[in-house]
Amino acid sequence: MSIDGAPASRQADVTPAHRPSADGALRPGRRWHAPARAVGGILVAIALWELISVSGIVKAQALAGVGPTASALVTHSGRLLSAAGGTLEAWGVGLGIAALLGITLGSLVGRSPVAEAFTEIVVRMMRPLPSLALIPVAILIAGLGLKMTAGLVAFTSFWPIFINTRYGVQQVDNLFIDTARTLGLTRARLLLRVIVPAAAPLIASGLQVAISLALVVTVSVELVSGSGGIGTFVMQAQQGNAVPTMYAGIISGGILGWILNRGFATLSTRMLPWANRLEQR
Amino acid sequence: MSVVQPTLRAHGTARRALRARLRNWALGLLGLAAAVGVWQLSSGFVGSTLMPGFAPSASDAWTILTGPVLSQDLIPSIERTLAGFAISAVLGVSVGLITGYYRAAREWTAGVFDFLRSLPTPLLIPVALTLFGLGGNMVVAVIVTAATWPVLINTANATRALDPTLVDTARALGLRGPAFMSRVVLPAVSPQIFAGLRVAISVSLAVMVVAEILGGSSGIGYFIANAQQSFAITDSYAGVLILCLLGWAFDSFFLLIEHRLLAWQRGTVGGGQHV
């Protein structure tokens, strides 16, 4: 946590990198409190859910009880797993393309003021474009299927990765660059060995945003087009009036999103131990 | 980033800076023209009715904007987006202040919030459809489930990182409760709240479109989906173009307000950053 109260990010475009927490370190004796309370909170939420569904405030076609949902999760576990697999495939392919293009173009454009000025207006117009509006158009051009879903995912998640990489590359300490130049690094090596690693924390936070965004796009395409995956599973359950099954699908989607988010956050703190140091400087 | 020292801000430097800005604008417009050119050329190259060029799409967008679609679809969409955004903003800021400031509240809600915000919200559209039926309320509800999170998280993180000196000073001066929150905490965290709000407005717009595609009875998303299904292809491109402009307008308007409202804190925090 920054102690000076300075905003984590002055540029709203750019997602701030992770900051270390001072809370746990201050009171090491009470470390177990936080996870215990988080679990307690989940239990309270489940109890509330059951209470609302039993009380009948919300009509039964819209809210399944906890028990039926749990049993639907078990009985449909096979179908849910394969649906999650389908979602993951489109998600992964699209995100992979976006990451490759976003990091490459972002680091090149970030190092060149002319290229940045040239792309600036286009980027500013494309960034807030609600890409989900492209679903109908994408269906027209590419038809249903993995190619269309992955393409749309790639297009949408490209922007946060590109913008964060561009910004991160510009934020690299000139001292690093001058030192590397003095040591005689070629331009390509300078970019690969110095600039990109130094920008990695910001690139990682761009990727973190892109991960959730890509999942939202994948699921939306599945809902609209019925091309398979978790989204289609939920839509079909709703159309068949199978309320507990629908909730089982929603919960599986949430778990999938949670695993992807958490997994990446853990991975990036492990792989980028210098991120915290950079942030505190 | 180079920091320009005040003493160097002489006449010549100012003029050079202006020239650089003009050059950047010119380059940017050139880039825009290039993008439009690529679109036009590639549609000519493909030569398919599935990919109309920029010129027919833009002129179609103009006809739509001046026709009945404006009041039937576009205005309701804007109203829904703004309503959902406003509810999300109030909800996100107030809950974020509480979970950011009170450790117990933060820890109890951490698990549930973590799960809910990882949930891809379009999955909730079927639920909203059964709850609210087709139409505007459904769209607003779905927007709120998505757009609250960026505001809430930004507010909570900023509140958690508040300067202890600020908090202690306010306490020593006897500020308590709502007065303390609204007069000390809220202004101190407003820059991050704005960053969150800016994300939330684009999220609102995006979610509005999917919700309308799936369950609208009017609105620009409904219009685009309808155009696609009836093979009025230029219409659906025109709809996307209009949304592109709308997103850009929201974003620019937002930056403008942010610039105005937060003018007081420029130079007091963060040091020589000029955005």
Side-chain angles (χ1 to χ4, degrees):
Chain A
M1 286 288 124
S2 74
I3 32 168
D4 54 2
S9 151
R10 303 293 317 287
Q11 280 205 330
D13 268 2
V14 173
T15 323
H18 296 290
R19 285 170 172 250
S21 151
D23 272 24
L26 281 176
R27 290 185 216 159
R30 298 172 68 184
R31 254 189 191 167
W32 57 273
H33 258 201
R37 280 175 167 172
V39 173
I42 292 174
L43 293 177
V44 170
I46 292 175
L48 266 176
W49 169 12
E50 181 63 22
L51 207 69
I52 292 172
S53 106
V54 167
S55 73
I57 306 171
V58 182
K59 51 184 174 188
Q61 298 102 297
L63 187 65
V66 175
T69 305
S71 69
L73 265 172
V74 176
T75 47
H76 295 290
S77 57
R79 274 179 64 211
L80 277 169
L81 270 178
S82 74
T87 303
L88 263 181
E89 192 187 2
W91 173 88
V93 172
L95 191 67
I97 297 171
L100 197 71
L101 287 177
I103 295 174
T104 315
L105 291 177
S107 39
L108 292 176
V109 170
R111 294 310 297 172
S112 153
V114 175
E116 198 195 347
F118 189 69
T119 50
E120 179 62 21
I121 293 184
V122 177
V123 170
R124 278 211 50 203
M125 297 208 71
M126 295 310 268
R127 196 192 65 87
L129 169 74
S131 330
L132 300 173
L134 294 172
I135 295 175
V137 176
I139 292 176
L140 278 177
I141 294 180
L144 300 179
L146 178 69
K147 211 170 78 181
M148 184 269 288
T149 315
L152 205 58
V153 169
F155 176 80
T156 313
S157 27
F158 170 79
W159 302 104
I161 301 174
F162 172 78
I163 288 172
N164 259 44
T165 305
R166 193 185 66 178
Y167 180 67
V169 158
Q170 287 165 347
Q171 293 297 92
V172 175
D173 197 335
N174 278 326
L175 187 69
F176 294 172
I177 296 167
D178 291 343
T179 312
R181 285 226 176 99
T182 317
L183 291 170
L185 261 73
T186 57
R187 280 182 78 117
R189 278 176 66 100
L190 175 75
L191 195 66
L192 282 178
R193 303 295 299 272
V194 179
I195 294 173
V196 172
L202 274 162
I203 298 177
S205 28
L207 282 170
Q208 183 87 60
V209 174
I211 282 174
S212 333
L213 199 61
L215 193 62
V216 167
V217 177
T218 314
V219 165
S220 304
V221 174
E222 290 167 355
L223 279 166
V224 173
S225 69
S227 59
I230 293 275
T232 306
F233 182 93
V234 171
M235 205 58 185
Q236 281 169 352
Q238 190 251 352
Q239 278 157 2
N241 236 341
V243 187
T245 313
M246 175 174 83
Y247 272 87
I250 294 173
I251 297 225
S252 314
I255 293 172
L256 186 64
W258 188 81
I259 291 173
L260 294 176
N261 268 326
R262 262 303 145 107
F264 183 77
T266 319
L267 198 72
S268 67
T269 34
R270 282 271 171 80
M271 282 178 57
L272 307 170
W274 63 91
N276 297 341
R277 235 179 319 146
L278 274 173
E279 274 293 308
Q280 278 167 333
R281 216 182 30 203
Chain B
M1 287 233 147
S2 67
V3 177
V4 180
Q5 272 163 20
T7 42
L8 279 175
R9 276 190 187 272
H11 193 60
T13 327
R15 205 189 309 169
R16 217 171 301 146
L18 183 72
R19 205 177 300 157
R21 259 175 87 180
L22 279 177
R23 196 201 57 200
N24 283 351
W25 260 100
L27 272 172
L29 288 175
L30 207 66
L32 186 64
V36 168
V38 168
W39 177 359
Q40 187 73 41
L41 277 179
S42 57
S43 91
F45 185 70
V46 174
S48 153
T49 44
L50 291 181
M51 213 179 151
F54 172 76
S57 306
S59 78
D60 198 30
W62 180 251
T63 346
I64 289 170
L65 275 178
T66 46
V69 177
L70 178 71
S71 58
Q72 268 168 27
D73 291 317
L74 191 57
I75 304 239
S77 286
I78 294 176
E79 282 170 359
R80 289 166 195 164
T81 309
L82 290 178
F85 169 75
I87 298 173
S88 307
V90 172
L91 209 64
V93 169
S94 40
V95 178
L97 281 178
I98 294 168
T99 57
Y101 195 76
Y102 298 102
R103 191 192 159 104
R106 177 166 66 244
E107 288 178 353
W108 277 99
T109 52
V112 179
F113 281 10
D114 242 25
F115 178 78
L116 288 180
R117 94 184 141 104
S118 310
L119 184 91
T121 33
L123 281 182
L124 295 173
I125 294 174
V127 177
L129 268 172
T130 34
L131 262 182
F132 298 99
L134 294 176
N137 290 343
M138 187 278 285
V139 177
V140 173
V142 176
I143 292 175
V144 171
T145 60
T148 306
W149 298 109
V151 187
L152 195 155
I153 286 155
N154 266 35
T155 311
N157 283 347
T159 311
R160 196 177 161 191
L162 267 185
D163 187 354
T165 321
L166 184 73
V167 176
D168 291 344
T169 312
R171 290 262 179 236
L173 290 169
L175 277 171
R176 290 270 182 282
F180 172 70
M181 279 292 182
S182 65
R183 295 181 55 187
V184 179
V185 179
L186 205 55
V189 298
S190 51
Q192 284 101 318
I193 292 183
F194 266 95
L197 288 175
R198 192 172 162 210
V199 176
I201 191 87
S202 55
V203 169
S204 303
L205 205 62
V207 175
M208 176 273 286
V209 176
V210 212
E212 284 184 351
I213 289 177
L214 278 170
S217 46
S218 65
I220 190 77
Y222 174 76
F223 174 82
I224 292 174
N226 222 13
Q228 180 240 334
Q229 274 150 17
S230 53
F231 283 95
I233 292 152
T234 322
D235 271 359
S236 63
Y237 275 84
V240 172
L241 212 57
I242 290 173
L243 270 171
C244 189
L245 282 177
L246 195 63
W248 184 69
F250 274 147
D251 199 53
S252 307
F253 183 64
F254 216 83
L255 280 181
L256 197 76
I257 294 186
E258 185 183 15
H259 205 69
R260 274 285 175 84
L261 280 183
L262 296 182
W264 59 271
Q265 58 100 42
R266 219 168 300 131
T268 61
V269 270
Q273 291 195 34
H274 23 252
V275 182

